[in-house]
Amino acid sequence: MIHAKSESDVTSLAPSSPSRSPKRPAYYVQSPSRDSHDGDKSSSMQATPIYNNSPMESPSHPSFGRHSRNSSASRFSGIFRSTSGRKLRVKRNDKGWPESNVIMEEGSYDDLEDKALSRRSQIMIALCSFIVLFSVFCLIIWGASRPYKAEITLKSLNMNDFHIGEGTDNSGVPTKILTVNGTLKMNVYNPATFFGIHVSATPINLIYSEISIATGRLKKYYQPRKSHRLVSVSIVGTMVPLYGAGAGLMLSESDTKVPVTLQFELRSRGNVVGKLVRTKHRRQVMCPVTINTKSSKPIKFKQNCTYH
């Protein structure tokens, strides 16, 4: 038994009889002492033997000497023999400890703490992921629904009354007065395969020489997917003064043909995912027609109508 000079550092060498199986070189794990926290790490290292053989081959020899629990102690036990059974010369350091292969443990025990994300962070990550995925889904649905615009076809315009007379306006200026009463029929088709649309329109105007002589309004309605609907709109104009525009018009007693233009904008809105994803489309409709003051037959619209 060899005692070191310091009471806190004790080295014990306990010889034992050689076992039947040859010993392999011993390795040591040098780790911080569990009892030392604020002291020097270099003075609180503990050498613990690790053997390559089975646990039965590790020597169990008592070590002698006083060991303080709070002191930084380095203990060594084991036999340094060659495979032939002869003792080997062991190099010792300045403190008299035998030198051997050492496996260093880097870091402290504080690094072994659980570094998993907190529950609040996990909830926030899950919520953000859901929002991103839902937004991508809505964007895909919106892009897929954009091509589905409401299609409109003008069918006929039936003039119940088209009267041209002479009179004065509210200020007393003499001018020709026009009274119109008609019915417009048109077909609206919703080509969407998985959503309905809400259909509305701007005022439907019947224009003569840039003057609106009659106006009608389309009542807003809902149209299911993949469906057709025939819509009727009343167009009425009562005692509309024409001023200089009516100079070339003849009175209603004669057979007069009046060129007019039907103009309005059809609007459609579809709720794909409730109010979160909506599709809005507009179609400009313009169609020139000629009205015969002496004819009561419905006017059929020709192919010269434009739908933008």
Side-chain angles (χ1 to χ4, degrees):
M1 178 178 63
I2 300 175
H3 291 279
K5 295 179 181 181
S6 173
E7 289 183 1
S8 62
D9 299 331
V10 179
T11 303
S12 61
L13 297 175
S16 64
S17 59
S19 59
R20 295 180 181 178
S21 60
K23 298 294 181 180
R24 296 183 180 179
Y27 296 89
Y28 294 85
V29 177
Q30 188 169 355
S31 62
S33 176
R34 292 174 295 179
D35 299 330
S36 61
H37 299 283
D38 300 328
D40 187 8
K41 291 185 178 180
S42 61
S43 63
S44 62
M45 306 303 289
Q46 180 177 352
T48 304
I50 297 177
Y51 297 91
N52 295 330
N53 294 335
S54 63
M56 297 299 296
E57 297 179 1
S58 60
S60 59
H61 302 286
S63 58
F64 300 92
R66 292 181 299 173
H67 298 274
S68 175
R69 178 174 296 181
N70 296 329
S71 64
S72 300
S74 297
R75 296 181 295 276
F76 170 80
S77 62
I79 301 174
F80 291 89
R81 293 179 181 273
S82 64
T83 55
S84 62
R86 290 181 294 180
K87 295 183 178 180
L88 300 176
R89 289 185 178 182
V90 180
K91 294 182 180 180
R92 299 178 181 275
N93 56 16
D94 55 354
K95 291 186 177 181
W97 299 346
E99 296 181 356
S100 60
N101 296 331
V102 178
I103 300 176
M104 298 297 295
E105 283 187 356
E106 297 182 358
S108 61
Y109 290 109
D110 297 336
D111 297 337
L112 301 178
E113 295 180 355
D114 187 13
K115 295 183 178 180
L117 295 175
S118 63
R119 187 175 184 84
R120 183 176 179 181
S121 299
Q122 293 177 356
I123 293 175
M124 292 299 296
I125 292 175
L127 182 61
C128 293
S129 301
F130 172 78
I131 293 175
V132 170
L133 292 177
F134 185 75
S135 300
V136 172
F137 171 75
C138 292
L139 184 62
I140 293 174
I141 295 298
W142 176 78
S145 61
R146 278 183 61 84
Y148 295 103
K149 296 182 179 181
E151 299 178 2
I152 182 172
T153 304
L154 298 178
K155 292 295 185 179
S156 63
L157 177 62
N158 188 12
M159 301 307 299
N160 302 321
D161 186 13
F162 194 91
H163 180 76
I164 303 174
E166 293 183 351
T168 58
D169 61 359
N170 296 330
S171 60
V173 177
T175 181
K176 289 185 178 180
I177 302 297
L178 184 61
T179 300
V180 180
N181 186 2
T183 302
L184 174 67
K185 292 183 179 181
M186 56 185 175
N187 181 59
V188 181
Y189 171 60
N190 177 20
T193 57
F194 55 90
F195 64 91
I197 57 175
H198 297 270
V199 181
S200 62
T202 59
I204 301 174
N205 295 320
L206 198 63
I207 299 175
Y208 170 74
S209 184
E210 300 183 0
I211 298 176
S212 179
I213 59 176
T215 301
R217 292 187 177 273
L218 174 66
K219 186 177 180 180
K220 184 178 179 180
Y221 70 93
Y222 175 80
Q223 186 166 343
R225 60 186 181 91
K226 287 288 184 179
S227 63
H228 292 266
R229 182 165 180 170
L230 185 63
V231 181
S232 298
V233 181
S234 296
I235 301 177
V236 179
T238 304
M239 299 183 67
V240 179
L242 300 179
Y243 299 107
L249 294 179
M250 303 297 293
L251 298 179
S252 297
E253 288 75 10
S254 60
D255 188 4
T256 305
K257 293 183 179 180
V258 182
V260 296
T261 302
L262 188 66
Q263 185 176 348
F264 65 97
E265 180 182 80
L266 185 71
R267 299 174 180 177
S268 62
R269 175 177 57 86
N271 296 331
V272 184
V273 184
K275 294 184 179 180
L276 296 177
V277 180
R278 294 182 177 183
T279 59
K280 294 182 179 180
H281 301 288
R282 297 181 179 183
R283 281 191 178 276
Q284 296 286 342
V285 180
M286 184 178 295
C287 190
V289 293
T290 302
I291 299 176
N292 192 342
T293 58
K294 289 295 186 180
S295 176
S296 59
K297 294 181 180 179
I299 301 171
K300 298 295 183 180
F301 290 96
K302 299 179 180 180
Q303 298 297 327
N304 54 354
C305 297
T306 58
Y307 307 95
H308 297 290

